[in-house]
Amino acid sequence: MNTELRSHVARFTARLGAFARTGVASIAIAIAGAAAIVGPAPTASAQFLSGGMNMGMDMSISRRSLDSYAKILDLTDDQKTAARALLEGQRAAAKDLAKEMQTKMESMMEEARESSDWTQFQKKSMAIQEEMEKKATSQEKAFYEDVKLLLTPEQEAQWPKIERHRRRETIMRFGIVGGMSVDLYKVLDQAKIEPGSVEGLVEILDRYETDLDTRLKDFERIGKEAQKSAVGEGMMDFEAQRKAIKDVEAQGRMIRDINRDYTRRVLAVIPEDKKAEVELLINRRIHPRVYKETYAEKAMAAALSMKSLSDDQRSSLAAYQTTFMRDLANANDKWAKANDEKEEKAGGKISAMMDGFMGGMDGMGGEKDTSVTDARKARKEIEDRALDRLKSVLSEEQYTALPEKKADPRGQMGFIEDMGIMMEEDED
């Protein structure tokens, strides 16, 4: 492993440490190590690890979260101002802590590189992770206690809803099973559906919140137990980790099943004209890479908005857009189905990822499973045809005016994006 890659591992591991309170941090760190050590090519491993650096893995309390708290608690303007000031202090402390952990991890990585003693790196990284987890938990607890001092007795009685909200936004951020990271509250908010405006929806969401929170508490508890069992004397026991991963993924499937159940209930009561939007938002949470807007879609929409188009150009592109969107939707569904089948066979996204690192076999001694790759290639062919059509219909001047296609700065290996982490854009 070269120096640059080791540096990526250190920084990536430091940021994965933010997931310690969900009980899966050491498992995630093991994945980072596996990517670097047994990955099929150093370049691919570097892409995976460096991609993790810009994918929103900061688990500190966000300003968006505080806005949600203010709505739940019905804070006054003065209370909001005071709470925001408290949050700024907490976020500054969280950033300092993240820098401290990154510095320590990079220093240890350098020591290991010089000595070639990676066993010491594993031991020390676990100790640092535990130290940082305690500090982060203490910082977060202090912030919440300070906020409580601002509340009236009536507002403080609503505090359990804040605790449930926080468990959803931390634990469900890491979708180790497809569908685990679907927070229906967040989906409805994105779709601009006010629960109180839909008959029966508030009652459905109240039951959803209660049932889901029970499973989230179990996931957190079992995750921490699994984490402990996977680490012996400060070392990662990879055999124990594989079992720990299976235990955690089993809990993830229970969370997924609750989301599936309540998704059906929500879709049954929301307005008909909102159902397709909600289903798309949910699909994007389950399969982020599959259902996010493609460059070809953006380019097609931009072309059709051009005032310089002739009637023939507009007619030709509008007709083709219908075919393109239909073919794209079918290709997306096939890609999502291939992902689901691969995950079901492996037991979860982490298991499927580690199987890929270990050779990508079908799990039964057969040939390498290429169903996901084939589905992804088929989707790309549809995108390429759409871009070719744009080039043939538009003038050179019009074509060069289309939005620039930018490379994804987060790397080309999409395992982590598939877990839903990158769905959270940093509003700061």
Side-chain angles (χ1 to χ4, degrees), residues 355-402:
D355 287 347
F357 290 154
M358 299 306 294
M361 302 302 288
D362 63 9
M364 295 177 288
E367 295 298 321
K368 184 176 181 179
D369 183 358
T370 63
S371 57
V372 172
T373 302
D374 293 343
R376 188 167 62 244
K377 286 181 178 178
R379 209 277 295 271
K380 187 178 184 304
E381 289 173 1
I382 292 170
E383 294 179 68
D384 290 343
R385 285 200 299 271
L387 294 175
D388 288 341
R389 176 59 68 93
L390 285 173
K391 196 166 188 177
S392 68
V393 172
L394 299 178
S395 68
E396 184 176 350
E397 182 179 2
Q398 289 169 329
Y399 189 79
T400 56
L402 292 175

Side-chain angles (χ1 to χ4, degrees), residues 27-131:
I27 294 172
I29 289 173
I31 295 170
I37 295 168
V38 302
T43 300
S45 298
Q47 286 177 338
F48 168 70
L49 295 164
S50 61
M53 303 319 302
N54 298 306
M55 62 187 186
M57 297 180 75
D58 180 6
M59 297 293 281
S60 60
I61 303 163
S62 70
R63 296 184 182 97
R64 185 187 290 122
S65 296
L66 186 61
D67 290 341
S68 297
Y69 300 166
K71 185 176 181 180
I72 293 170
L73 298 171
D74 193 21
L75 297 184
T76 65
D77 289 342
D78 287 345
Q79 287 175 317
K80 290 177 186 177
T81 299
R84 285 170 187 152
L86 291 172
L87 180 62
E88 290 310 306
Q90 195 276 336
R91 287 178 63 80
K95 287 181 180 179
D96 288 342
L97 184 60
K99 289 179 181 177
E100 179 186 347
M101 184 174 185
Q102 179 174 321
T103 299
K104 289 184 177 182
M105 294 299 292
E106 288 179 345
S107 175
M108 285 194 313
M109 186 71 74
E110 180 62 23
E111 289 178 11
R113 184 183 70 83
E114 294 295 335
S115 66
S116 299
D117 186 355
W118 293 95
T119 60
Q120 288 301 311
F121 172 77
Q122 290 186 35
K123 289 180 180 179
K124 291 179 180 179
S125 65
M126 292 294 100
I128 288 177
Q129 175 192 310
E130 184 176 354
E131 175 192 354

Side-chain angles (χ1 to χ4, degrees), residues 73 148-149 151-160:
L73 298 171
K148 284 183 181 180
L149 295 176
L151 306 181
T152 65
E154 292 77 15
Q155 290 170 328
E156 191 166 358
Q158 296 298 311
W159 194 258

Side-chain angles (χ1 to χ4, degrees), residues 38-323:
V38 302
T43 300
S45 298
Q47 286 177 338
F48 168 70
L49 295 164
S50 61
M53 303 319 302
N54 298 306
M55 62 187 186
M57 297 180 75
D58 180 6
M59 297 293 281
S60 60
I61 303 163
S62 70
R63 296 184 182 97
R64 185 187 290 122
S65 296
L66 186 61
D67 290 341
S68 297
Y69 300 166
K71 185 176 181 180
I72 293 170
L73 298 171
D74 193 21
L75 297 184
T76 65
D77 289 342
D78 287 345
Q79 287 175 317
K80 290 177 186 177
T81 299
R84 285 170 187 152
L86 291 172
L87 180 62
E88 290 310 306
Q90 195 276 336
R91 287 178 63 80
K95 287 181 180 179
D96 288 342
L97 184 60
K99 289 179 181 177
E100 179 186 347
M101 184 174 185
Q102 179 174 321
T103 299
K104 289 184 177 182
M105 294 299 292
E106 288 179 345
S107 175
M108 285 194 313
M109 186 71 74
E110 180 62 23
E111 289 178 11
R113 184 183 70 83
E114 294 295 335
S115 66
S116 299
D117 186 355
W118 293 95
T119 60
Q120 288 301 311
F121 172 77
Q122 290 186 35
K123 289 180 180 179
K124 291 179 180 179
S125 65
M126 292 294 100
I128 288 177
Q129 175 192 310
E130 184 176 354
E131 175 192 354
M132 295 300 144
E133 177 186 348
K134 288 179 180 178
K135 288 183 178 180
T137 300
S138 177
Q139 288 178 356
E140 190 173 296
K141 181 179 179 181
F143 166 75
Y144 285 127
E145 290 301 320
D146 287 342
V147 171
K148 284 183 181 180
L149 295 176
L150 304 173
L151 306 181
T152 65
E154 292 77 15
Q155 290 170 328
E156 191 166 358
Q158 296 298 311
W159 194 258
K161 291 186 73 68
I162 302 299
E163 294 174 340
R164 291 193 286 271
H165 184 287
R166 183 59 176 162
R167 273 190 286 274
R168 290 199 304 276
E169 71 178 354
T170 52
I171 297 175
M172 295 172 73
R173 184 89 172 262
F174 197 65
I176 62 173
V177 171
M180 175 183 166
S181 59
V182 176
D183 182 347
L184 290 175
Y185 278 95
K186 190 171 293 185
V187 168
L188 293 172
D189 183 62
Q190 289 177 305
K192 295 180 172 55
I193 297 175
E194 179 58 46
S197 67
V198 179
E199 185 178 357
L201 186 54
V202 171
E203 291 76 14
I204 290 173
L205 290 176
D206 283 345
R207 291 195 295 274
Y208 168 67
E209 183 180 51
T210 301
D211 291 350
L212 180 62
D213 198 58
T214 298
R215 285 300 177 196
L216 293 179
K217 288 177 180 177
D218 287 343
F219 180 90
E220 189 171 33
R221 174 180 55 80
I222 291 174
K224 287 180 178 179
E225 291 173 358
Q227 182 169 298
K228 288 179 182 179
S229 70
V231 180
E233 298 181 358
M235 289 291 294
M236 297 181 190
D237 181 337
F238 283 94
E239 286 301 318
Q241 275 199 348
R242 289 307 294 261
K243 180 184 183 303
I245 288 169
K246 295 297 184 184
D247 292 342
V248 173
E249 286 175 334
Q251 293 299 312
R253 287 194 293 275
M254 294 181 188
I255 295 171
R256 175 204 63 189
D257 291 346
I258 287 176
N259 281 332
R260 286 179 175 176
D261 179 22
Y262 279 92
T263 292
R264 288 191 289 268
R265 301 188 198 190
V266 166
L267 289 173
V269 300
I270 62 174
E272 195 66 32
D273 62 350
K274 281 288 187 179
K275 290 183 180 179
E277 180 182 2
V278 168
E279 288 179 327
L280 177 59
L281 288 169
I282 289 173
N283 282 336
R284 283 180 174 168
R285 296 295 306 184
I286 299 173
H287 301 286
R289 279 196 298 161
V290 175
Y291 290 101
K292 70 180 179 182
E293 188 179 23
T294 66
Y295 172 73
E297 288 176 85
K298 295 176 184 177
M300 186 70 68
L304 284 167
S305 69
M306 290 180 175
K307 294 181 180 180
S308 61
L309 288 183
S310 67
D311 290 342
D312 287 344
Q313 284 178 313
R314 192 173 303 279
S315 176
S316 175
L317 289 180
Y320 185 77
Q321 185 186 42
T322 300
T323 301

